[in-house]
Amino acid sequence: MFQSNLTNEQNDILKNGFFVGGAYPNLGILNFSLPLLDADDGALYNFLNLRVWRPIAPDKVEVWSWHLIDKEASKEYKVKSYKSYLGTFGPSGILEQDDSEIWSRVAQASNGIMAQSKDLSYNSMLNYLMGLERVEPLDNFPGPGTAYPLCFLDELSRSMQRKWIELLLEETKEEVY
């Protein structure tokens, strides 16, 4: 399905094994090729994971997560892909549990004295600085949006925070930066 709907350059990106992206304000898109955790065959199983983060209170967020797979894939491949998703980025997966722990601690820390005493800014003590002024976007990215040459980078967090602050301050017309 990817091959028939994407350009050759876009398909080459997917061959790297993973793709992480988003659509503002609350849609996450993850494409992974991961092994089954209980198998030793070294095979990788691709899946597309869509997530929607839905705020339900100032300190609570509900996350909806979907596993998507090409409907033309074999039944066996679909089952193995789903198991790979469940074991890694599914709601009870080992990687998702690790991330969820951090997210809950970020919410907890946001109520602390240091976080509460700062101006509304993406460059405050909350620190979204990883890669800032060191990593530039790719000039030759073939898809829509902006891409960076690194996986571990805070630009997604910074851009979402900038947009959110911009929306919060829209009526006041204060400078965001």
Side-chain angles (χ1 to χ4, degrees), residues 22-81:
Y24 188 82
N26 64 339
L27 174 66
I29 304 163
L30 305 130
N31 179 68
F32 290 96
S33 293
L34 296 169
L36 283 173
L37 296 178
D38 61 352
D40 292 329
D41 62 3
L44 299 177
Y45 298 94
N46 185 275
F47 60 86
L48 182 63
N49 177 215
L50 296 182
R51 297 161 179 238
V52 172
W53 285 271
R54 182 177 164 257
I56 54 177
D59 60 346
K60 293 189 187 330
V61 175
E62 180 178 75
V63 181
W64 297 352
S65 180
W66 293 271
H67 167 268
L68 288 90
I69 186 74
D70 188 344
K71 68 180 179 180
E72 301 298 324
S74 70
K75 174 77 172 167
E76 178 185 7
Y77 190 90
K78 288 178 185 178
V79 168
K80 288 181 177 181
S81 171

Side-chain angles (χ1 to χ4, degrees), residues 123-136:
N123 193 15
S124 69
M125 289 290 290
L126 299 178
N127 197 351
Y128 294 106
L129 299 177
M130 187 168 26
L132 185 65
E133 297 176 356
R134 290 186 307 107
V135 181
E136 296 295 324

Side-chain angles (χ1 to χ4, degrees), residues 77-94:
Y77 190 90
K78 288 178 185 178
V79 168
K80 288 181 177 181
S81 171
Y82 186 63
K83 285 182 177 180
S84 176
Y85 157 76
L86 288 177
T88 55
F89 282 98
S92 62
I94 60 171

Side-chain angles (χ1 to χ4, degrees), residues 93-107:
I94 60 171
L95 300 173
E96 188 60 31
Q97 288 179 27
D98 184 48
D99 288 348
S100 296
E101 180 66 21
I102 297 299
W103 294 336
S104 65
R105 298 295 181 228
V106 167

Side-chain angles (χ1 to χ4, degrees), residues 113-155:
I113 293 169
M114 290 294 289
Q116 294 295 315
S117 69
K118 300 301 167 201
D119 292 333
L120 191 58
S121 167
Y122 74 93
N123 193 15
S124 69
M125 289 290 290
L126 299 178
N127 197 351
Y128 294 106
L129 299 177
M130 187 168 26
L132 185 65
E133 297 176 356
R134 290 186 307 107
V135 181
E136 296 295 324
L138 295 172
D139 290 332
N140 60 350
F141 179 60
T146 305
Y148 289 84
L150 299 174
C151 173
F152 302 106
L153 185 68
D154 283 343
E155 182 53 37

